[in-house]
Amino acid sequence: MRQTEICRTIVDELVAIAKIVRTRGLRGEVVAEVLTDFPERFEGLADVTALLPNGKRRELKIEGYFFQNDRIVMKFAGFDSIESAEMLRDAVVCVEEADAVELGEDEYFDWELQGCEVETVGGEKLGAVREVMRTGGTDVLLIDGPDKELMIPFAESICIDVDVDGKRIIVDPPDGLLEF
């Protein structure tokens, strides 16, 4: 069981794939954090939507890109100087939800898991998923419970039924997991 980092639906059926952190060079390039487990998704990608820090949307055309360490350097049409590219700083680069990468069975986007109600096989309501925490191993669901925050490993042996359409996850926690 696995979910991806392709972030979450931000607004209007958009899915974030990168976040611009700074400009680079003199020709209008920008450096962005990659927010997807599928960096190959940038291949052939031309049209994206930028959600600017001021809340406005801007349609962009990717002229070119390359990866540098764990980041992506992108060049957008019409942004040909460092000054013009500066307006994109802190923008979130998105694609339409319909253009998101197809996942396999038992794979989920983080934003699909967020808000899911979590309950035990015995029917005890534990709360709702606030976020997915990356650990380098098994990811952990952070659950906002009625009295406390819970951390439940997102493992197939524990999360035995995941219904993202119904916004519900059934867990079979091992002894002691729900106790602090």
Side-chain angles (χ1 to χ4, degrees):
M1 183 177 295
R2 159 178 176 271
Q3 81 287 335
T4 69
E5 290 181 20
I6 210 166
C7 213
R8 57 192 65 118
T9 300
I10 306 284
V11 292
D12 298 331
E13 309 290 319
L14 294 177
V15 177
I17 58 170
K19 180 170 187 214
I20 298 171
V21 294
R22 64 179 178 85
T23 57
R24 177 188 181 275
L26 301 174
R27 296 195 172 117
E29 295 173 324
V30 295
V31 177
E33 297 285 339
V34 177
L35 301 176
T36 174
D37 280 342
F38 306 100
E40 65 275 9
R41 73 137 22 265
F42 287 95
E43 189 173 318
L45 183 63
D47 298 314
V48 295
T49 301
L51 296 177
L52 303 173
N54 65 7
K56 294 186 179 186
R57 294 169 62 146
R58 175 114 187 217
E59 301 304 316
L60 300 174
K61 275 206 174 305
I62 299 174
E63 284 187 343
Y65 74 92
F66 62 91
F67 291 97
Q68 186 175 54
N69 300 322
D70 293 334
R71 292 182 168 180
I72 186 170
V73 177
M74 293 185 282
K75 170 73 175 81
F76 296 107
F79 292 86
D80 298 318
S81 69
I82 193 168
E83 293 81 16
S84 65
E86 186 62 37
M87 77 168 288
L88 298 174
R89 183 185 296 265
D90 296 324
V92 178
V93 179
C94 302
V95 295
E96 297 289 328
E97 187 174 346
D99 295 330
V101 173
E102 293 260 339
L103 299 180
E105 190 175 328
D106 292 332
E107 293 183 325
Y108 309 94
F109 295 114
D110 287 4
W111 50 267
E112 291 178 306
L113 298 171
Q114 291 170 344
C116 284
E117 293 295 325
V118 180
E119 62 182 73
T120 66
V121 290
E124 179 186 356
K125 302 215 183 288
L126 302 177
V129 177
R130 183 182 73 237
E131 70 178 280
V132 179
M133 183 172 71
R134 308 256 169 231
T135 64
T138 301
D139 295 329
V140 175
L141 300 176
L142 298 180
I143 313 295
D144 282 335
D147 301 323
K148 60 184 172 183
E149 177 182 85
L150 298 170
M151 298 172 67
I152 298 179
F154 191 58
E156 215 169 322
S157 60
I158 296 171
C159 299
I160 61 170
D161 184 27
V162 178
D163 177 8
V164 293
D165 292 329
K167 298 304 276 178
R168 194 174 110 193
I169 300 173
I170 305 296
V171 297
D172 187 10
D175 291 339
L177 180 66
L178 301 178
E179 300 166 10
F180 280 38

